[in-house]
Amino acid sequence: MSIKVTRTTAPALRELREVLQETRYDALQRAMRGAQYYMDPWPNYAALSALCARIPERPATLFRLLLLGDPVPVADANAALGRELVEALSKVGILHRAGKDRLETVNYSLISYQDRYVFTDLPYFYPTCRRKDTRIYIGADSYLLGQNLLSDCQGDVLDLCTGTGFQAIQASSPSNRIVGVELAPEAVGAARCNVVLNGFSERIEILHGNLYEAVGDARFDVIYANPPFLPVPEGVRYPMSGDGGYDGLAVLRRIVEGLPGHLKPGGRAALIAEGVGDDAAPFVARDLARIFKGGRWNVLLLIRGEMPLEYQSYVIAKMTSEVYGEVSCDELCDKWREMYEKQGATRLYSFHLYVERTPRGGRVETVRLSRMGSARDVPRLAPGLEYRPGTPSYFVYRDGRRLGEIDQETREFLELCDGRSSIGAISAQLFPRYAERYRDGGLYRALYEALNTCQTLSAMQVLVAGDGKGEKSRD
Ligand SMILES: C[S@@+](CC[C@H](N)C(=O)[O-])C[C@H]1O[C@@H](n2cnc3c(N)ncnc32)[C@H](O)[C@@H]1O
């Protein structure tokens, strides 16, 4: 079942956008979520539910119904959206009855970012999620690519693996025409709906198809992609949005191989992905050297994070066992670990990949930004940090310069960075306080999050990379 947008239902989506703007759906969320708003599409369910009690009834109903996926009384939905719009959104396939007196979304959630909106599936970890095997994906990686789109993105643009169309919608401007390509029919329906919802029907077209097959031999000025990239052991079921095949490169490799045939002269590509490798580099670096060996290409593999596979195996096995409920987490974890061992893989790298067609010369280079990749690493605070309260977050300053915004939990983490304790030791100390939050993955999950946090904080220059020689270390 997917969202159906026709010429007659399109006005309902335009009306919905007006309601969202009138009720400050995006601005309120930005204020309520603080720094987290910029990093992750998914608000903490319990925290946002609680905050809904403090805001006016109309936006509170919209957040409950459209963002959190709660069933709400029909009368409340009618008051917030208007009876006609409720009926129209039911016809499009976004809303349906939940019992006699309530309305809910058909497992959709409406994410907003910088005044642009996308319908996507409710995430498997929300208590309201009614189909855990989600088909329409958006995550922190989507935001990261959305925030790193090429600044002068003009001309013909191709967004491969478009999903909700988030990247295409973020990139849309009067000086470009964008084609999004997506294989999952449910995501195609959502992306087409999202294009209309944001008023970009004239500029963005969503095609249903398999990568470049959907565009024939057309060439583009810019190509974007956030493909599925997780390595999945043979015989294990995993959602298509993340399944990168046995080595994780099944889709990414085809995208990169197709760049020479689909970029115009001077054309550029920006991709985001993760990929396994050994301690030296992600394996994708070998593919890049092979594909671009003839010159005429500037290729930058920018590694921004890395994770020991020991933790990643546990986190991904836990999620998979929860989504499908077929195989136990321990059994799946063994499968992932065996696969990684066979591949000689030790780390999961997260990276940006920039490729540019150049008239002469060209080089393929790897830059490794991340230096904190193990729980043994000791994070050190940059000198002269100052915290100023925001709502509900903190701003971090150094020498009067704002470095960024952090939440309370991150602040507590930073307070324990004494220059001697490792990431592992700090996580173990904080774990009891957040045990409930990490209950699905125990200390592994906490370490996984802590490593991600450290990498973000070092990119913000709040932390100085550690050296793995902490006195109070624990891995
Ligand atoms: C990680 S999601 C990214 C979605 C979106 N670009 C974003 O950043 O939020 C990957 C998307 O690729 C789609 N996909 C997987 N294989 C594909 C293929 N061969 N051709 C086109 N899309 C594909 C999946 O259905 C999924 O929507």
Side-chain angles (χ1 to χ4, degrees):
M1 172 104 168
S2 52
I3 307 177
K4 296 179 288 293
V5 183
T6 63
R7 205 167 297 170
T8 50
T9 50
L13 293 170
R14 286 198 283 275
E15 202 184 323
L16 174 61
R17 186 169 81 239
E18 278 165 26
V19 170
L20 297 171
Q21 284 165 347
E22 217 176 278
T23 51
R24 311 247 181 268
Y25 188 89
D26 186 58
L28 264 173
Q29 214 195 127
R30 212 178 304 180
M32 285 155 89
R33 296 184 59 205
Q36 226 237 347
Y37 168 92
Y38 295 96
M39 291 183 237
D40 191 336
W42 298 113
N44 177 293
Y45 178 89
L48 199 89
S49 285
L51 281 174
C52 278
R54 298 209 210 146
I55 62 171
E57 216 165 294
R58 196 171 174 214
T61 302
L62 293 179
F63 284 147
R64 288 196 185 101
L65 175 68
L66 298 177
L67 180 59
L68 299 174
D70 289 334
V72 305
V74 175
D76 293 1
N78 285 342
L81 289 163
R83 188 188 299 266
E84 277 179 23
L85 183 53
V86 165
E87 273 168 29
L89 293 176
S90 308
K91 275 202 194 122
V92 181
I94 290 172
L95 296 179
H96 67 184
R97 286 274 173 157
K100 207 160 66 72
D101 305 321
R102 288 180 178 257
L103 269 177
E104 63 182 13
T105 63
V106 186
N107 208 44
Y108 298 117
S109 172
L110 182 62
I111 295 296
S112 75
Y113 184 78
Q114 308 280 36
D115 285 317
R116 295 186 178 183
Y117 309 94
V118 294
F119 276 105
T120 183
D121 271 335
L122 281 163
Y124 81 96
F125 49 84
Y126 268 22
T128 45
C129 180
R130 300 174 269 280
R131 191 192 60 209
K132 290 193 180 241
D133 171 16
T134 54
R135 316 286 160 87
I136 315 167
Y137 173 89
I138 193 163
D141 48 340
S142 317
Y143 273 25
L144 216 60
L145 180 56
Q147 289 153 357
N148 285 281
L149 296 172
L150 301 167
S151 54
D152 49 348
C153 169
Q154 294 180 12
D156 296 317
V157 180
L158 176 63
D159 179 32
L160 290 169
C161 301
T162 198
T164 59
F166 179 78
Q167 260 72 247
I169 288 166
Q170 289 300 320
S172 178
S173 82
S175 57
N176 61 34
R177 290 284 170 279
I178 306 185
V179 175
V181 175
E182 171 58 48
L183 192 56
E186 297 88 346
V188 171
R192 286 181 178 154
C193 158
N194 295 332
V195 167
V196 177
L197 177 60
N198 289 280
F200 294 148
S201 316
E202 304 295 313
R203 300 188 205 155
I204 305 178
E205 185 185 10
I206 302 294
L207 301 178
H208 183 201
N210 190 343
L211 301 183
Y212 298 107
E213 283 169 30
V215 294
D217 51 12
R219 286 183 183 260
F220 297 85
D221 296 286
V222 173
I223 298 182
Y224 293 124
N226 174 16
F229 47 64
L230 287 166
V232 178
E234 274 155 4
V236 170
R237 193 141 77 102
Y238 195 81
M240 180 161 96
S241 56
D243 188 347
Y246 184 73
D247 66 355
L249 296 175
V251 183
L252 180 65
R253 193 180 281 122
R254 281 170 56 209
I255 293 177
V256 177
E257 281 173 345
L259 292 177
H262 290 278
L263 279 176
K264 291 184 189 176
R268 297 163 302 153
L271 283 72
I272 193 167
E274 293 180 3
V276 293
D278 53 23
D279 287 351
F283 296 146
V284 71
R286 299 174 196 160
D287 292 273
L288 298 177
R290 171 180 59 80
I291 297 165
F292 298 107
K293 69 173 179 290
R296 300 286 158 95
W297 294 98
N298 282 328
V299 179
L300 172 62
L301 179 66
L302 190 64
I303 300 175
R304 64 179 170 76
E306 48 194 272
M307 183 66 60
L309 285 174
E310 192 194 346
Y311 314 147
Q312 192 267 351
S313 306
Y314 187 85
V315 170
I316 197 165
K318 186 79 195 167
M319 181 223 135
T320 313
S321 71
E322 253 177 53
V323 167
Y324 294 111
E326 293 162 347
V327 187
S328 77
C329 171
D330 286 349
E331 208 177 314
L332 284 170
C333 194
D334 286 346
K335 282 185 197 273
W336 252 286
R337 285 187 177 151
E338 272 164 32
M339 177 185 73
Y340 288 143
E341 208 173 297
K342 270 195 212 150
Q343 294 171 343
T346 54
R347 315 199 135 241
L348 181 73
Y349 292 89
S350 31
F351 52 82
H352 295 270
L353 176 62
Y354 297 100
V355 176
E356 182 186 24
R357 199 183 250 278
T358 165
R360 64 191 72 81
R363 63 177 173 205
V364 179
E365 62 181 330
T366 299
V367 171
R368 197 164 170 173
L369 288 178
S370 62
R371 282 177 43 216
M372 275 182 279
S374 150
R376 272 190 299 272
D377 286 335
V378 177
R380 293 177 207 287
L381 293 178
L385 293 179
E386 188 198 333
Y387 307 104
R388 297 185 198 163
T391 25
S393 47
Y394 296 90
F395 297 111
V396 193
Y397 282 80
R398 194 170 84 213
D399 300 331
R401 192 166 70 88
R402 187 149 130 189
L403 300 178
E405 204 175 345
I406 58 169
D407 58 18
Q408 172 66 27
E409 197 175 322
T410 308
R411 168 112 199 241
E412 284 169 16
F413 186 93
L414 288 174
E415 272 160 12
L416 294 173
C417 292
D418 57 7
R420 289 180 301 128
S421 305
S422 67
I423 296 173
I426 297 173
S427 301
Q429 225 175 312
L430 284 176
F431 183 67
R433 190 163 333 164
Y434 299 110
E436 172 59 21
R437 184 162 150 217
Y438 295 127
R439 97 193 114 86
D440 292 338
L443 196 50
Y444 277 122
R445 173 103 225 165
L447 282 170
Y448 182 87
E449 301 292 348
L451 275 168
N452 274 329
T453 303
C454 284
Q455 282 162 10
T456 308
L457 289 170
S458 65
M460 275 161 67
Q461 298 172 7
V462 170
L463 285 182
V464 180
D467 55 11
K469 292 186 191 135
E471 286 167 30
K472 299 187 211 164
S473 118
R474 173 205 161 111
D475 210 344

mmCIF file of all heavy atoms in Angstrom, residues 260-275:
data_model
loop_
_atom_site.group_PDB
_atom_site.id
_atom_site.type_symbol
_atom_site.label_atom_id
_atom_site.label_comp_id
_atom_site.label_asym_id
_atom_site.label_seq_id
_atom_site.Cartn_x
_atom_site.Cartn_y
_atom_site.Cartn_z
ATOM 1 N N PRO A 260 31.205 7.682 -14.552
ATOM 2 C CA PRO A 260 31.829 8.172 -15.792
ATOM 3 C C PRO A 260 30.841 8.249 -16.959
ATOM 4 O O PRO A 260 30.925 9.169 -17.778
ATOM 5 C CB PRO A 260 32.921 7.127 -16.067
ATOM 6 C CG PRO A 260 33.261 6.581 -14.714
ATOM 7 C CD PRO A 260 31.968 6.572 -13.951
ATOM 8 N N GLY A 261 29.892 7.352 -17.039
ATOM 9 C CA GLY A 261 28.942 7.349 -18.153
ATOM 10 C C GLY A 261 27.753 8.270 -17.938
ATOM 11 O O GLY A 261 26.933 8.458 -18.845
ATOM 12 N N HIS A 262 27.616 8.862 -16.742
ATOM 13 C CA HIS A 262 26.413 9.665 -16.469
ATOM 14 C C HIS A 262 26.692 11.079 -15.984
ATOM 15 O O HIS A 262 25.763 11.815 -15.681
ATOM 16 C CB HIS A 262 25.516 8.925 -15.475
ATOM 17 C CG HIS A 262 24.894 7.709 -16.089
ATOM 18 N ND1 HIS A 262 23.776 7.752 -16.872
ATOM 19 C CD2 HIS A 262 25.286 6.422 -16.075
ATOM 20 C CE1 HIS A 262 23.484 6.545 -17.310
ATOM 21 N NE2 HIS A 262 24.386 5.714 -16.843
ATOM 22 N N LEU A 263 27.972 11.457 -15.869
ATOM 23 C CA LEU A 263 28.283 12.849 -15.505
ATOM 24 C C LEU A 263 28.674 13.617 -16.765
ATOM 25 O O LEU A 263 29.433 13.120 -17.594
ATOM 26 C CB LEU A 263 29.439 12.891 -14.496
ATOM 27 C CG LEU A 263 29.089 12.620 -13.035
ATOM 28 C CD1 LEU A 263 30.353 12.595 -12.193
ATOM 29 C CD2 LEU A 263 28.102 13.643 -12.487
ATOM 30 N N LYS A 264 28.180 14.841 -16.869
ATOM 31 C CA LYS A 264 28.568 15.698 -18.001
ATOM 32 C C LYS A 264 30.009 16.178 -17.769
ATOM 33 O O LYS A 264 30.504 16.108 -16.637
ATOM 34 C CB LYS A 264 27.661 16.940 -18.029
ATOM 35 C CG LYS A 264 26.230 16.658 -18.385
ATOM 36 C CD LYS A 264 25.492 17.994 -18.455
ATOM 37 C CE LYS A 264 24.002 17.801 -18.593
ATOM 38 N NZ LYS A 264 23.263 19.059 -18.573
ATOM 39 N N PRO A 265 30.658 16.741 -18.773
ATOM 40 C CA PRO A 265 31.973 17.345 -18.533
ATOM 41 C C PRO A 265 31.843 18.374 -17.406
ATOM 42 O O PRO A 265 30.894 19.161 -17.391
ATOM 43 C CB PRO A 265 32.297 18.032 -19.865
ATOM 44 C CG PRO A 265 31.467 17.293 -20.872
ATOM 45 C CD PRO A 265 30.233 16.824 -20.168
ATOM 46 N N GLY A 266 32.747 18.329 -16.452
ATOM 47 C CA GLY A 266 32.675 19.239 -15.302
ATOM 48 C C GLY A 266 31.672 18.788 -14.253
ATOM 49 O O GLY A 266 31.480 19.461 -13.245
ATOM 50 N N GLY A 267 31.041 17.640 -14.484
ATOM 51 C CA GLY A 267 30.024 17.147 -13.554
ATOM 52 C C GLY A 267 30.622 16.663 -12.232
ATOM 53 O O GLY A 267 31.792 16.314 -12.157
ATOM 54 N N ARG A 268 29.783 16.699 -11.199
ATOM 55 C CA ARG A 268 30.271 16.316 -9.867
ATOM 56 C C ARG A 268 29.271 15.395 -9.176
ATOM 57 O O ARG A 268 28.069 15.457 -9.450
ATOM 58 C CB ARG A 268 30.443 17.561 -8.997
ATOM 59 C CG ARG A 268 31.480 18.524 -9.519
ATOM 60 C CD ARG A 268 31.335 19.885 -8.896
ATOM 61 N NE ARG A 268 30.015 20.447 -9.133
ATOM 62 C CZ ARG A 268 29.421 21.337 -8.340
ATOM 63 N NH1 ARG A 268 30.028 21.777 -7.278
ATOM 64 N NH2 ARG A 268 28.226 21.789 -8.626
ATOM 65 N N ALA A 269 29.799 14.574 -8.271
ATOM 66 C CA ALA A 269 28.916 13.695 -7.502
ATOM 67 C C ALA A 269 29.249 13.809 -6.024
ATOM 68 O O ALA A 269 30.416 13.992 -5.657
ATOM 69 C CB ALA A 269 29.101 12.248 -7.957
ATOM 70 N N ALA A 270 28.228 13.732 -5.177
ATOM 71 C CA ALA A 270 28.443 13.703 -3.726
ATOM 72 C C ALA A 270 27.621 12.551 -3.167
ATOM 73 O O ALA A 270 26.399 12.507 -3.358
ATOM 74 C CB ALA A 270 28.022 15.025 -3.095
ATOM 75 N N LEU A 271 28.311 11.622 -2.535
ATOM 76 C CA LEU A 271 27.636 10.438 -1.990
ATOM 77 C C LEU A 271 27.947 10.336 -0.511
ATOM 78 O O LEU A 271 28.976 10.841 -0.039
ATOM 79 C CB LEU A 271 28.170 9.165 -2.667
ATOM 80 C CG LEU A 271 27.700 8.824 -4.073
ATOM 81 C CD1 LEU A 271 28.289 9.758 -5.098
ATOM 82 C CD2 LEU A 271 28.094 7.405 -4.417
ATOM 83 N N ILE A 272 27.076 9.644 0.188
ATOM 84 C CA ILE A 272 27.378 9.342 1.579
ATOM 85 C C ILE A 272 27.133 7.859 1.779
ATOM 86 O O ILE A 272 26.220 7.291 1.171
ATOM 87 C CB ILE A 272 26.518 10.200 2.530
ATOM 88 C CG1 ILE A 272 27.069 10.107 3.938
ATOM 89 C CG2 ILE A 272 25.069 9.784 2.522
ATOM 90 C CD1 ILE A 272 26.477 11.146 4.860
ATOM 91 N N ALA A 273 27.989 7.213 2.573
ATOM 92 C CA ALA A 273 27.794 5.777 2.786
ATOM 93 C C ALA A 273 28.632 5.319 3.972
ATOM 94 O O ALA A 273 29.363 6.109 4.581
ATOM 95 C CB ALA A 273 28.184 4.991 1.537
ATOM 96 N N GLU A 274 28.485 4.055 4.281
ATOM 97 C CA GLU A 274 29.372 3.410 5.247
ATOM 98 C C GLU A 274 29.937 2.194 4.548
ATOM 99 O O GLU A 274 29.352 1.691 3.580
ATOM 100 C CB GLU A 274 28.610 2.983 6.493
ATOM 101 C CG GLU A 274 28.103 4.165 7.294
ATOM 102 C CD GLU A 274 27.339 3.766 8.552
ATOM 103 O OE1 GLU A 274 27.235 2.560 8.856
ATOM 104 O OE2 GLU A 274 26.840 4.672 9.213
ATOM 105 N N GLY A 275 31.067 1.706 5.032
ATOM 106 C CA GLY A 275 31.624 0.515 4.398
ATOM 107 C C GLY A 275 32.656 -0.120 5.295
ATOM 108 O O GLY A 275 33.372 0.584 6.021
#
